[in-house]
Amino acid sequence: MRKWIAALGLLTFLLPALPAHSAPVPIGVDTLLRRETDLSQLPKLRDWASSLQSSYDRTGGNGDAQNFLSMTGKTATLADLTGPGAVVRLWSANPNGQIKVYIDDAPTPVIDVPFAKLFDGSLPAFAPPLTQASSGGFYSYLPLPYAKHCRITVDDPHGLYYQVNSLTFALNTSVRPFALPLTDADQAALQTAVRAWKSLGGSSPPLQRWGHARLVAL
């Protein structure tokens, strides 16, 4: 018996160590920004669900403004999202009022500014051309990830047109929630994205213009 135990111990010692399975990298601002700038990511299948919440006319008419999930006093709720997930696009034709973004049920909003300031280049994280005016409206492609919940409200919206595009990840996905100021990793990814978008010229998002260029070439 002792010989068998000794042989088993020797065999265990000689066998190469199995590679350890590293934990999945949490999804954060940096990983989502890399997805927005790397065309090789486009064909990769992901178990993410995409959704849109907007001010479309709920009656089927053409009155596509000032239609919200709810209205409490002068505060409109634009989106109320369950995570893990990320807001990946904000758009408005007329960004009126004061926008507030609450992440993971925190009582204090992580963003609390006049809505128009998201697009004028005055806020370091919301850097053009990822966030700016374009084609008669205003857009932001700065991702806002959240682990559990995201709620977006606007005080005094005044005839607001809006769209909120979001992704919902699998329930076990690890997420680093959006926070300001950006971390060093997030800031580095933002600068890389800014350079990539600027290198293509123009004011529309690079993937959109890349698709247009391919269509023209064909």
Side-chain angles (χ1 to χ4, degrees), residues 83-167:
V87 172
V88 291
R89 175 178 171 268
L90 289 170
W91 173 91
S92 178
N94 56 341
N96 301 316
Q98 182 89 357
I99 189 170
K100 298 179 182 180
V101 180
Y102 298 85
I103 299 291
D104 291 346
D105 301 320
T108 303
V110 68
I111 296 171
D112 185 358
V113 297
F115 201 171
K117 287 186 69 65
L118 293 187
F119 313 103
D120 66 7
S122 63
L123 302 176
F126 291 84
L130 273 75
T131 301
Q132 63 182 20
S134 178
S135 303
F138 302 81
Y139 69 78
S140 172
Y141 282 88
L142 178 70
L144 310 175
Y146 47 91
K148 296 181 293 184
H149 186 237
C150 177
R151 183 165 58 94
I152 301 176
T153 67
V154 170
D155 295 338
D156 299 317
H158 298 303
L160 183 68
Y161 292 82
Y162 77 91
Q163 296 175 358
V164 178
N165 289 85
S166 62
L167 299 174

